[in-house]
Amino acid sequence: RGLEAGNRGDVETLLGVLDPDVAWHSALHALLGGEATVFRGDDGVREMLRDLYGAFDEIHIEISEIRDLGDRLVAIGRTRARGNASGADVESPIGFVAEFKNGKAIAIRGYLDPKEALEAVGLRE
C-alpha cells in the first residue's frame, strides 16, 4: 500500500503505513548527486518527498520481488524518474529493507544496488 501511495503522490496514505517515528534512509538522494540521507518521522518523510518531487517530474518504483522475513522484508525492483529541469530519464535498480513493528514500518533503508539490500539481511540473490 505504501509503495502504491508513494507512486501516485498520496503522502497521507503513505504516512499511514509508517510508524510516526520511522527512520527512512533514502538511497534516491544519491541520484540527486548527494549522499544517502536519513529522514525521521512524518515531517522527515514529507521533506524527503518534497526533495524528490522537486528534483523529479515523475518518479515510479516497480517492485519485482519481495521476500517476507517476518518482522522485516526485502523488496527488489527498479526506479524510473524524469528530471524536472533537464527532462532526462533516469532508471536505476533499487532495493529496500523495511522493518516492522505492530504492523507499521519503523525503518526503511534504500539501496541503489539490490545485492546490498539482500546482503543487509543475510541473503544472496
Side-chain angles (χ1 to χ4, degrees):
R1 289 184 325 203
L3 176 64
E4 292 169 1
N7 278 338
R8 68 176 181 269
D10 183 351
V11 176
E12 295 310 311
T13 298
L14 173 59
L15 292 175
V17 301
L18 303 175
D19 185 87
D21 295 321
V22 67
W24 192 317
H25 300 259
S26 172
L28 292 178
H29 279 71
L31 292 176
L32 302 176
E35 296 181 16
T37 304
V38 63
F39 295 91
R40 298 191 184 281
D42 289 353
D43 289 340
V45 172
R46 283 186 179 98
E47 177 187 351
M48 175 187 71
L49 294 173
R50 272 193 308 270
D51 287 354
L52 293 174
Y53 290 123
F56 298 110
D57 183 43
E58 180 182 313
I59 302 173
H60 186 80
I61 298 172
E62 290 181 7
I63 299 299
S64 57
E65 178 183 355
I66 295 176
R67 296 192 191 184
D68 185 345
L69 306 172
D71 62 349
R72 295 184 298 173
L73 70 77
V74 179
I76 305 297
R78 298 199 70 72
T79 299
R80 289 190 316 257
R82 179 174 299 119
N84 273 338
S86 68
D89 289 327
V90 176
E91 188 169 330
S92 174
I94 195 157
F96 294 99
V97 173
E99 295 180 44
F100 295 89
K101 184 177 179 182
N102 300 322
K104 302 268 186 172
I106 59 170
I108 299 172
R109 183 176 296 270
Y111 298 86
L112 294 179
D113 182 347
K115 289 179 186 177
E116 291 179 11
L118 293 169
E119 290 170 359
V121 297
L123 297 175
R124 295 176 191 242
E125 287 187 287

